[in-house]
Amino acid sequence: MTAFKLGDGDVLLIVDVQNDFCPGGSLAVPRGDEVVAIANRLAQRFGNVVLTQDWHPRGHRSFASSHPGMKPYDLATLAYGEQILWPDHCIQGTSGAEFHEELHVPGATLVLRKGFRREIDSYSAFFENDRTTPTGLAGYLRERGLGRIFLAGLAFDFCVGFSAVDAARHGFAAVVIEDACRGIDVAGSLAATRRSLAEHGVACITEADLG
Ligand code: VGL
Ligand code: ZN
């Protein structure tokens, strides 16, 4: 039995499949490159595909290198609250910020760049980490009549998870395709993400559930 029948109101959101999040990159997600083949396959089944691209200026406040004496994965307090500090990654215009070279999604209609404000990180494709600055994605999806969002990509416990929860908060149906994601797992982030997805009614499925 097919649990999910895809239609015109569905969109596939492919999150941050970029070189810096893949093996060899500066913030490599373990086995991150394994999502490429499945993302390519999924994209062919959706009439609507949107890509996100983490896109930071040099000296971004989420980088440990911007905080003397602190190191990657430390917790810092920024103007909007707590922020995990990361290695420099996905710097605008660098090869680390490019999509994985085998990602092949010619039908994608939007590349949504996020994290471009020096002072604010953005895990979610909908709101930056201050939780109030919108990226514009909700408006795009609404105007296009897209009501159900399937998510794939990197990292499960950061950008994919936050995007899925914000989608649900916005009133979209949100579905994470878990075998099309890989996670980082810092400070219990995987378990926290699973809890948060469940609390917000986000379904977690596998590619096989799409029939
Ligand atoms: C991400 C940490 C920092 C992600 C982006 O794409 O999950 N994680 N920037
Ligand atoms: Zn980032």
Side-chain angles (χ1 to χ4, degrees):
M1 196 196 84
T2 304
F4 291 86
K5 189 171 170 6
L6 299 179
D8 288 348
D10 292 324
V11 59
L12 176 66
L13 187 68
I14 301 179
V15 177
D16 297 3
V17 182
Q18 293 166 260
N19 291 327
D20 272 340
F21 296 125
C22 291
S26 63
L27 178 37
V29 178
R31 303 190 297 141
D33 55 333
E34 291 177 8
V35 307
V36 173
I38 181 166
N40 288 345
R41 209 155 57 224
L42 287 167
Q44 291 181 30
R45 307 182 52 177
F46 282 79
N48 303 289
V49 182
V50 168
L51 305 176
T52 70
Q53 192 171 24
D54 209 38
W55 195 248
H56 300 307
R58 254 171 232 290
H60 195 262
R61 293 297 285 171
S62 76
F63 296 169
S65 62
S66 301
H67 302 262
M70 300 197 80
K71 35 181 210 320
Y73 310 104
D74 283 351
L75 205 56
T77 303
L78 304 189
Y80 53 80
E82 289 193 335
Q83 168 71 48
I84 298 177
L85 298 180
W86 304 105
D88 290 18
H89 65 278
C90 296
I91 293 175
Q92 297 171 0
T94 64
S95 57
E98 310 253 291
F99 293 116
H100 188 287
E101 69 175 8
E102 281 154 41
L103 186 71
H104 186 65
V105 190
T109 55
L110 175 70
V111 176
L112 191 281
R113 288 173 165 171
K114 61 183 179 59
F116 54 81
R117 288 187 176 80
R118 189 178 308 270
E119 303 300 322
I120 316 179
D121 203 5
S122 189
Y123 296 149
S124 163
F126 292 92
F127 284 112
E128 302 195 5
N129 283 13
D130 62 1
R131 313 311 298 142
T132 56
T133 305
T135 64
L137 181 60
Y140 173 86
L141 297 174
R142 286 223 176 84
E143 284 206 42
R144 296 236 11 242
L146 303 171
R148 188 166 62 166
I149 305 170
F150 290 78
L151 297 99
L154 306 171
F156 173 81
D157 43 346
F158 288 92
C159 291
V160 174
F162 278 80
S163 297
V165 165
D166 277 352
R169 282 198 179 116
H170 268 295
F172 297 102
V175 182
V176 173
I177 307 172
E178 230 190 303
D179 53 345
C181 301
R182 293 291 182 278
I184 302 178
D185 203 11
V186 215
S189 56
L190 272 181
T193 299
R194 282 186 205 295
R195 243 184 346 260
S196 177
L197 293 174
E199 270 167 26
H200 289 88
V202 176
C204 281
I205 67 164
T206 65
E207 183 185 21
D209 294 320
L210 292 173

